[in-house]
Amino acid sequence: MAIETKQDLIDHVVLARQIEMSTIPPYLYAAYSIKDQESEAARLIISVVVEEMLHLALATNLLLALGGEPDFGPSLLTNYPSLMAHHKPDLMLGLGRCTPKLIRDVFMIIEQPELAGAPPQDDKYESLGQFYDALLVAIDQLSASTDLFTHHQPSRQLSDPAFYSAVQFDEDDSGGLMLIADAASAHAALEIIIHQGEGLSDEKWADESHKELTHYHKFALLADGGMAIGETSPVTTNPRTEDFPAEIQPVSNLFNALFGALLQTMEAMYAAGADQGSLVGRLYGLMSVAMTPVARYLTSFPISPTENASPTFEIYTFTSDPQAELTALAARVGELHPSLADVALEIAGM
């Protein structure tokens, strides 16, 4: 998978989007499993999730700037458990309860910084930093002989800084949304992804003021006991809706439909002529007002003497108007599970 042409570069940016997306459900699942959702540990993991979504947005901007077309459908998603794409050695991604072992053996491997002097790797990569370094090298080389950004589609990129705000444990000066129009801005966007995520071998900070840790060092706090994870729910590993008791399956379906609606909203944000401001508002609403309380309900619901239910992050296929179908699913869940009645009303009003 050497990057020799513009199309090769586009294909690698498509892979970058898949890689970034593949980390979001495992990180969210671990955060949801923590009983105290207001704890520092839960908020720390959510801060990583928020930046992974930023990285997905920046990679999507780069894809558009190169003339590519972003897809937020099944091709972007991972079925868990599954090997992380192109990682060497093999790294299995799955949905599991937050533990120091999960953080150390999986999350910190995902975010491990590249060693000093490590070569760029455009196919099998030992660190994401080396993979992104290969994209940087390719952009420089191809820009010397090709106008990569002739049709960079600025109106479709999600580039208004107001659409992204740092959350607790993140800092504004570590980077945010930006327009990609040339090699220099492409470099700047990829540097944000590298520095917030893996960082460099001798640097644990993601920002110049040294207030925000890189993802690797955030996870190290949890793995090494610098920040207590706290009590977790006994959620099952790599769950499937069909394996849950019938009474909780509608709630699981609702969560997956909400996740599907989130992806549809993200796709709509990049469409020509989109009202990006209102769609960004819907995106935040889906995550905070809908997905989070439904996930918390699932993780508190016993499905056996030793295990609780949990979000499954399975692909949900809408068969009718998505909002109408989402509203109907939520209404049914509100009737079956009165504790979610208020959430159902919120979903109906989106």
Side-chain angles (χ1 to χ4, degrees), residues 185-239:
S185 51
H187 260 264
L190 292 178
E191 291 290 349
I192 290 172
I193 296 174
I194 293 170
H195 290 152
Q196 286 183 345
E198 300 76 47
L200 303 175
S201 57
D202 59 348
E203 181 59 81
K204 67 179 182 178
W205 303 107
D207 64 322
E208 293 184 0
S209 58
H210 288 192
K211 294 180 180 179
E212 179 187 332
L213 292 170
T214 65
H215 296 180
Y216 179 86
H217 285 92
K218 286 178 180 178
F219 285 140
L221 278 177
L222 300 175
D224 299 339
M227 180 183 291
I229 292 173
E231 189 176 1
T232 57
S233 298
V235 292
T236 185
T237 301
N238 297 320

Side-chain angles (χ1 to χ4, degrees), residues 47-64:
S47 77
V48 174
V49 171
V50 169
E51 287 190 336
E52 293 296 348
M53 294 189 71
L54 170 64
H55 299 173
L56 177 61
L58 291 173
T60 302
N61 283 355
L62 177 56
L63 182 62
L64 285 166

Side-chain angles (χ1 to χ4, degrees), residues 26 31 53 77 112 126 136 156 226 232 240 245 265 280 306 313 343:
M53 294 189 71
L77 304 180
Q112 66 181 347
E126 295 168 277
L136 291 170
R156 294 183 60 190
T232 57
R240 292 288 184 272
T265 302
V280 168
T306 59
F313 288 97
V343 177

Side-chain angles (χ1 to χ4, degrees), residues 50-62 156-166 171-180 185 188-190 192-193 196 266 269-270 276-277 280 283-284:
V50 169
E51 287 190 336
E52 293 296 348
M53 294 189 71
L54 170 64
H55 299 173
L56 177 61
L58 291 173
T60 302
N61 283 355
L62 177 56
R156 294 183 60 190
Q157 292 187 44
L158 193 69
S159 58
D160 188 335
F163 292 159
Y164 173 81
S165 298
E171 294 292 325
D172 288 328
D173 67 350
S174 74
L177 291 168
M178 60 177 293
L179 179 71
I180 299 176
S185 51
L190 292 178
I192 290 172
I193 296 174
Q196 286 183 345
M266 293 173 74
M269 290 190 303
Y270 295 96
Q276 291 184 326
V280 168
L283 183 80
Y284 283 118

Side-chain angles (χ1 to χ4, degrees), residues 22-43:
S22 72
T23 68
I24 292 173
Y27 292 169
L28 270 178
Y29 192 94
Y32 289 151
S33 75
I34 297 174
K35 285 191 173 182
D36 182 2
Q37 288 288 290
E38 300 303 316
S39 69
E40 286 196 327
R43 289 179 177 272

